[in-house]
Amino acid sequence: MKELISTALRYRHNRLELLDQHQLPDRELWLHCDSVEAMVAMIRKLQIRGAPLIGIGAALLLAHLAEQGWRETQLRDAAATLRDARPTAVNLMNCLDRMLAVIDQGPAALVACAEALFEEDVALCQRMSAFGAELLPEGARVLTHCNTGSLATAGSGTAIGVIAEASRRGKLRHVWVDETRPLLQGGRLTAWEMNRLGIPHQIQCDSMAAILMRDGLVDAILVGSDRIAANGDFANKVGTYNLAVNAHFHAIPFYVVAPWTTVDPHCPNGQAIPIEQRSAEEIKGVSGSFGEVRWSPMESDVFNPAFDVTPAELVTGWVLDTGVYDRDGIVTAIEQVRAGG
Ligand code: MRU
C-alpha cells in the first residue's frame, strides 16, 4: 500500500500507526496497529475515534492484512469483528462494505479500495468546508461540540473543517469549544486542534453553553455526526441534543456537517439508530496521560450513552459534501440515494 499520512493515522513502510488520542493533548504517542484485536481495543478506548477515521482505519488494516497474505475467509471474519467495535458510527460499516464488495478480487483490489477511501475522505472534507464556510456570517462566533477535525477524519474535518476554512477566509472571530463530557474530546482534542490552527477559542463546560447563547455570544452552532437517518434525525456525541434544544430556544442556526459516508438511507429515523452504552468508570472519573482519577462512590450506578439523537426539526441545515440541505431537501436526497440502491 502506498504512503498515507493524516494528523492521526499514517501508513508507511508497511506499518499502520495511529496517534493515541487518549494521551492528547500532553503526549503525541504513535501506536503500531498490526492486528484486528489491537484495532478493536484502540477503537473501544477511543485511541482512534471520530466516525470517518474509524472507518478508514479499519479499511487500511484489512488491506494491510490482505497484503500480508490473509485468506478471504480470514479477512471476512476480521471485517465482521471490526464492524461490531463501534455500533453507532455508520462510516465504519460503509467503509467495510466498500471493502467487502471487492474482497473476492484479491489484495490489490482491497489496497486500491482502502487508498481510495482515505483520499476520498480528504476531498469530502474540503467540499464540506467550502459549503459550510459560505453559510457563516462575517466575524462569526461559532460553538462546536466534541472533536470533528483532522483527528476525526483523514482530512481537515467536518464541523472543524468548516471552522478552519472560515478562519482562512477571515470570517471567523471566535470558537466556543464545548468540553464534551464524559471523555472531553472538546477540552482535550478540539482545543489541541484550535491551538495548532491558531484559532482564537475558549473552552467551556457543556452546561455553560446555554448562557453563551442567552448572552448573544454565539452566531452559529456546528457539529458533526455519526449517523444521519433517512428522515434527517442524526446521532452525534452525547450533549448535541442539549445544544440543539438550546439553539432552538435562542433562535441560533444549528448545522450538522457530515459527508455522505455518514448517511444511512436504510435507517428510517433517529429511534432506529443503535446507541452505544459505555462503562461507568467514564462518568465516575477520568483517565489520560496523567493517569486515572475517580471521584464518585464505587457503589453508585451510572447512565452513560456515548451518543444522543437530535430530531430533524431542530436542525437548520445539513452541510454535506454535495451541498447544504434544508429538512425537505435532505429527506428527498436520501430517498433518491435509497431508491437508487
Ligand atoms: O466518541 P467519538 O469521539 O468518536 O465521537 C465523535 C463524534 O461524535 C463526532 O462528532 C463524529 O464522529 C463526527 S467526526 C467528523
Side-chain angles (χ1 to χ4, degrees), residues 94-315:
N94 284 340
C95 284
L96 290 171
D97 286 344
R98 287 267 300 268
M99 295 290 282
L100 289 170
V102 299
I103 202 165
D104 56 353
Q105 295 167 31
L110 287 170
V111 166
C113 183
E115 289 173 353
L117 286 166
F118 184 100
E119 283 161 359
E120 279 170 28
D121 194 56
V122 175
L124 295 175
C125 289
Q126 280 165 354
R127 291 206 287 275
M128 283 180 281
S129 301
F131 287 125
E134 264 320 289
L135 287 173
L136 295 178
E138 294 296 329
R141 297 156 306 171
V142 172
L143 190 148
T144 191
H145 190 69
C146 195
N147 173 267
T148 59
S150 66
L151 291 169
T153 63
S156 58
T158 58
I160 288 183
V162 172
I163 286 169
E165 179 60 22
S167 171
R168 266 191 295 277
R169 295 184 187 188
K171 291 180 87 175
L172 189 82
R173 192 175 350 156
H174 195 76
V175 177
W176 296 108
V177 177
D178 248 4
E179 171 190 52
T180 315
R181 278 286 293 149
L183 291 175
L184 309 169
Q185 289 95 326
R188 298 184 202 219
L189 307 178
T190 295
W192 182 81
E193 290 208 45
M194 291 298 109
N195 284 312
R196 278 172 46 117
L197 291 164
I199 294 179
H201 64 283
Q202 277 167 279
I203 304 164
Q204 70 284 339
C205 298
D206 304 1
S207 48
M208 299 163 187
I211 302 174
L212 296 173
M213 296 187 215
R214 181 203 62 194
D215 290 351
L217 297 169
V218 181
D219 300 305
I221 297 175
L222 299 176
V223 297
S225 173
D226 285 74
R227 192 184 297 228
I228 299 176
N231 71 341
D233 293 352
F234 74 97
N236 192 46
K237 178 53 53 191
V238 68
T240 303
Y241 173 49
N242 297 34
L243 279 182
V245 171
N246 275 306
H248 186 70
F249 182 78
H250 294 98
I252 294 169
F254 179 90
Y255 297 106
V256 54
V257 188
W260 267 96
T261 48
T262 302
V263 175
D264 183 355
H266 304 289
C267 179
N269 54 50
Q271 282 169 312
I273 300 177
I275 300 292
E276 177 189 357
Q277 294 288 329
R278 292 185 60 89
S279 80
E281 282 63 44
E282 293 178 352
I283 300 289
K284 291 159 94 170
V286 70
S287 71
S289 59
F290 45 81
E292 280 186 30
V293 184
R294 181 177 56 81
W295 49 69
S296 298
M298 288 288 275
E299 56 273 33
S300 294
D301 206 355
V302 149
F303 171 63
N304 186 15
F307 301 95
D308 60 22
V309 171
T310 298
E313 64 193 288
L314 297 179
V315 179

Side-chain angles (χ1 to χ4, degrees), residues 34-37 61-79 81-82 103 106-107 110:
D34 62 350
S35 71
V36 174
E37 294 71 31
L61 178 66
L62 271 191
H64 172 74
L65 296 175
E67 278 194 319
Q68 301 300 304
W70 279 40
R71 292 191 309 277
E72 186 181 323
T73 48
Q74 291 176 297
L75 292 169
R76 284 189 187 279
D77 287 349
T81 305
L82 289 165
I103 202 165
L110 287 170

